[in-house]
Amino acid sequence: MPEPPIRTELKMPRMSGRAGGGGGGHARFIPGAKPRDTRGTLLRIIKIYLRFGRTILLSIILTAFSALVSVAIPYFVGQAFNTFHLGAPNWLDSQQLLLILAIIAALYLANYLLNTVNGIVTLNVTQKLVNQLRSDFFAKLQKLPLVFFDNRSHGDTMSRLTNDIDNISSTIASTTTQLISSVLTLAGSLAIMLVLSPVLTLAVLISIPLVAVLTRTIAKRSRAYFLAQQRNLGKLNGAIEENILGLKMVKAFDRKAAVVDEFSNINTELYNASLRAQIWSGFMMPLMNVINNLIFAVVAITGGILTIGYGLPIGTAVSFLTYSKQFGQPLNSIAGMWNTIQSALAGAERVFEIMDQAEETPDAPDAIEVYDSQGRVTFNNVDFSYTPEQAVLKDVSFDVRPGETIALVGETGAGKTTIVNLLTRFYDADCGQILIDGQPITSLQRDSLRRCFSVVLQDTCLFTGTILDNIRYSKPQATEEQVIAAAKLAHAHEFIQRLPHGYHTVVSGSTDNLSVGQRQLLAIARAVLGESPILILDEATSSVDTKTEKDIQRALLALMKDHTSFLIAHRLSTIRDADRILVIDAGQICEEGNHAQLMAARGLYYQMVVSQMGLAE
């Protein structure tokens, strides 16, 4: 069987992960590592809540009326008992009793209607708030620099957008109205109790210090566990995401057992944190019931003594028994809400941590919008580092004329992709200047600057939608005919036609219904359709077969005649026809020229070619 043909390529290993190429790794961010500001987080939630001021005001008014009705009911229940005059000839005032019973029935009906309407209003504003918060969070992600995503687990970020914001949602829905109602009920009940009997009021107030001590003790313990629960949930989501995306690699290297063990460890940590959080928060309600029953017994005994020995009306004693339960019920509600509040605050802190991250450097107030760029690119003494300890680019300078094709070659980590990332302002240079058509890119509007580029990366990103939509991503207003023309130029038309629904076949970035090579062809078609003055091709043909590569290169050569082009490639067949080749070594341009010149110079480029081909050209 004949040996396969030797492929003419400069085969250099690539770094995975960071978009910036070889600038050194970053330590993975551990969420929840810093101390938390509970009061500040709560104030921020309230501040966001107040965006819906009118609806909130309506909810507060309805809650206030509902609380007043609830406070009034025990008073009238006591008055109903006072219509009985034991030992008197006319021992029952039936008319008065019927009137009071009618009032009580009306109050219960009014309370039901108020609570129903208020529930609808509260749920409406809650969902609006969560919708707004999730939209703000997602919009924030679009404004963050790439370095943020380099340092974070994607699964953890997704967990904050979904689980943590859902936690805030459930808390607001279940606790906001209860909290307001509880406070108003407490205040109203206390006022009426003081009027009816200060002595019995003192008996009821014994519960307040007991509840305060209980809440403080349990909160101190449970808060840390709820925070650990949310943090471990983020880790779990990150592990799941990585395993699903890398499932083929897991199976290929037979790492299933190791992955299961890792997942089991994280899941166990989540279990332990959740169990402790729920156990501590679960102590609250049983202990609150003990306190409530204790207070009820104290009020009953004291009321009985005052009724028999000191002439306290029996109706007042009955009202107090109801008020003691009603006074304890809001405290019970607040205590019962505590675990939900703790979980939501932990989630809110993680959400606000992302919201507080520094965004991309904003455009200058006098930033210029780019129109009809000629594609001239200049680097003047540019330095850059991802971390202060390790410089990636050092004093890089070069000038690219409009329409010129520049190839960037060098060992992994030399800084090739970093040059492209600085040009597109994914990162900003530490010092020096980068210009397009003579204008510093920092003086240009970032959105219009990026419209100057069409980019094809080695790792192709597809979005959920049709192939037509994915190619049209670079130019949303393009017609179907323009998309097909771009696909033909990229030699993607043939395989697209063979798909079940052609250009209307649905694909996504998370499924494997297309090969890596086919995805790359779609990315090239997307770049062709963009018609931007500057092309950036980062290993644009690395995943296609030799025949397809040659066809694509012919198409790209025709396309690059009218565009300034940057090629990052390892294959000699891709770069040898470039107008100029810049050889990058340790963050500096060590050689410059075309293929023939660099081979004649017998420098680093020559050595790389020889080492890969086994012979000199």
Side-chain angles (χ1 to χ4, degrees):
M1 183 174 180
E3 292 183 356
I6 298 175
R7 304 187 72 172
T8 310
E9 58 182 87
L10 298 177
K11 196 168 181 64
M12 292 173 269
R14 303 243 338 150
M15 287 187 70
S16 62
R18 177 147 44 88
H26 294 283
R28 174 168 286 190
F29 169 75
I30 301 174
K34 295 182 179 180
R36 301 300 185 176
D37 179 12
T38 304
R39 183 172 177 271
T41 302
L42 193 57
L43 289 175
R44 288 186 69 168
I45 293 177
I46 293 172
K47 186 177 179 181
I48 297 173
Y49 210 10
L50 291 178
R51 293 183 187 181
F52 310 97
R54 291 182 180 178
T55 312
I56 296 296
L57 180 61
L58 175 60
S59 178
I60 291 173
I61 291 172
L62 291 171
T63 302
F65 276 114
S66 176
L68 289 174
V69 170
S70 298
V71 169
I73 289 173
Y75 173 79
F76 283 102
V77 170
Q79 295 304 308
F81 274 88
N82 286 336
T83 60
F84 294 88
H85 307 287
L86 298 179
N90 298 320
W91 61 276
L92 174 63
D93 189 342
S94 56
Q95 289 186 347
Q96 184 73 10
L97 178 61
L98 289 173
L99 176 61
I100 292 173
L101 291 176
I103 293 172
I104 292 173
L107 289 174
Y108 274 115
L109 178 61
N111 198 34
Y112 167 76
L113 294 174
L114 287 169
N115 286 332
T116 300
V117 174
N118 194 25
I120 295 172
V121 171
T122 304
L123 286 173
N124 181 46
V125 73
T126 297
Q127 294 309 312
K128 284 183 179 178
L129 182 145
V130 173
N131 176 275
Q132 184 66 52
L133 190 58
R134 191 167 277 138
S135 297
D136 290 346
F137 188 97
F138 190 78
K140 177 72 176 186
L141 292 180
Q142 312 310 309
K143 299 174 185 177
L144 293 174
L146 280 182
V147 67
F148 168 84
F149 299 98
D150 292 343
N151 293 349
R152 312 273 169 142
S153 161
H154 295 172
D156 180 70
T157 302
M158 292 164 59
S159 179
R160 297 179 193 230
L161 180 60
T162 53
N163 296 330
D164 291 329
I165 290 181
D166 281 341
N167 256 335
I168 300 172
S169 164
S170 61
T171 299
I172 292 171
S174 63
T175 65
T176 303
T177 306
Q178 277 186 305
L179 195 59
I180 296 172
S181 177
S182 297
V183 171
L184 293 175
T185 301
L186 283 172
S189 298
L190 181 61
I192 293 180
M193 285 191 297
L194 285 171
V195 171
L196 292 176
S197 173
V199 176
L200 282 177
T201 302
L202 287 175
V204 174
L205 292 180
I206 296 173
S207 62
I208 292 180
L210 294 176
V211 171
V213 171
L214 176 65
T215 303
R216 184 181 181 86
T217 303
I218 291 180
K220 187 177 180 181
R221 295 280 186 172
S222 64
R223 181 140 176 44
Y225 293 126
F226 274 113
L227 190 57
Q229 174 182 297
Q230 295 305 114
R231 185 167 60 246
N232 287 316
L233 187 59
K235 286 184 182 179
L236 193 73
N237 280 328
I240 292 170
E241 184 209 22
E242 289 175 357
N243 184 64
I244 291 174
L245 292 178
L247 191 58
K248 283 186 177 178
M249 200 61 62
V250 171
K251 291 181 179 294
F253 287 96
D254 194 26
R255 297 286 295 173
K256 291 177 288 186
V259 167
V260 170
D261 287 343
E262 181 185 1
F263 181 87
S264 178
N265 290 336
I266 299 173
N267 202 25
T268 300
E269 290 178 9
L270 176 60
Y271 162 78
N272 290 332
S274 300
L275 180 64
R276 287 174 171 81
Q278 296 300 327
I279 286 175
W280 275 100
S281 63
F283 286 150
M284 185 72 76
M285 289 307 294
L287 292 174
M288 282 297 304
N289 286 333
V290 171
I291 293 173
N292 287 339
N293 291 332
L294 175 64
I295 300 305
F296 186 84
V298 171
V299 170
I301 294 169
T302 307
I305 293 171
L306 293 176
T307 300
I308 295 171
Y310 298 91
L312 182 74
I314 190 172
T316 302
V318 171
S319 293
F320 257 90
L321 288 174
T322 308
Y323 278 123
S324 69
K325 283 290 187 185
Q326 189 163 287
F327 194 79
Q329 187 176 359
L331 296 177
N332 276 359
S333 297
I334 294 171
M337 288 185 280
W338 194 251
N339 60 339
T340 310
I341 292 172
Q342 291 294 301
S343 180
L345 285 177
E349 286 170 343
R350 285 163 47 80
V351 171
F352 292 144
E353 184 180 30
I354 302 295
M355 300 292 283
D356 292 337
Q357 293 294 318
E359 298 179 1
E360 281 187 320
T361 307
D363 294 335
D366 57 348
I368 304 167
E369 187 167 3
V370 181
Y371 293 102
D372 300 322
S373 171
Q374 300 302 306
R376 186 182 188 95
V377 175
T378 306
F379 273 57
N380 285 333
N381 309 112
V382 172
D383 289 356
F384 177 74
S385 61
Y386 292 103
T387 59
E389 313 85 46
Q390 186 176 6
V392 180
L393 297 181
K394 308 167 193 172
D395 195 28
V396 172
S397 297
F398 61 86
D399 185 67
V400 182
R401 298 182 298 275
E404 192 175 11
T405 298
I406 300 295
L408 303 174
V409 300
E411 297 293 339
T412 298
K416 306 180 297 298
T417 303
T418 300
I419 289 175
V420 169
N421 285 338
L422 294 179
L423 177 60
T424 53
R425 280 201 78 188
F426 290 152
Y427 302 88
D428 284 324
D430 297 337
C431 67
Q433 202 173 41
I434 304 172
L435 303 96
I436 289 183
D437 298 335
Q439 293 285 346
I441 60 173
T442 51
S443 69
L444 305 177
Q445 293 180 11
R446 187 179 269 107
D447 289 345
S448 67
L449 166 69
R450 289 176 181 164
R451 286 197 294 269
C452 295
F453 306 103
S454 286
V455 182
V456 180
L457 301 175
Q458 182 179 16
D459 298 322
T460 302
C461 178
L462 297 181
F463 300 93
T464 300
T466 65
I467 285 181
L468 188 73
D469 293 333
N470 271 278
I471 297 177
R472 199 155 44 191
Y473 196 81
S474 61
K475 192 176 181 180
Q477 71 276 16
T479 64
E480 187 167 346
E481 290 73 21
Q482 290 174 313
V483 171
I484 293 173
K488 287 180 178 178
L489 187 59
H491 294 268
H493 181 68
E494 282 188 26
F495 91 79
I496 293 174
Q497 282 190 314
R498 291 196 299 268
L499 295 174
H501 304 289
Y503 283 85
H504 297 280
T505 301
V506 175
V507 296
S508 76
S510 58
T511 56
D512 287 333
N513 50 355
L514 295 178
S515 70
V516 175
Q518 289 173 331
R519 287 167 176 261
Q520 209 157 34
L521 291 174
L522 293 181
I524 294 170
R526 183 189 292 166
V528 170
L529 183 65
E531 298 180 331
S532 301
I534 301 174
L535 289 175
I536 296 174
L537 308 172
D538 189 350
E539 292 288 4
T541 61
S542 64
S543 299
V544 296
D545 60 84
T546 306
K547 178 182 180 302
T548 305
E549 178 191 359
K550 291 179 180 178
D551 291 339
I552 292 175
Q553 284 175 3
R554 282 196 295 268
L556 290 178
L557 286 173
L559 178 66
M560 291 188 294
K561 285 180 181 177
D562 301 321
H563 298 78
T564 303
S565 303
F566 288 86
L567 304 177
I568 300 175
H570 296 144
R571 294 182 182 178
L572 177 60
S573 57
T574 304
I575 63 177
R576 67 184 302 165
D577 295 324
D579 297 320
R580 267 192 297 161
I581 300 170
L582 304 182
V583 183
I584 317 294
D585 183 44
Q588 295 178 306
I589 299 175
C590 63
E591 291 182 326
E592 181 176 349
N594 60 33
H595 174 73
Q597 291 169 339
L598 293 177
M599 291 299 292
R602 292 179 173 264
L604 181 60
Y605 178 81
Y606 173 84
Q607 294 172 13
M608 289 190 294
V609 173
V610 171
S611 67
Q612 293 300 320
M613 296 180 59
L615 50 87
E617 295 218 345

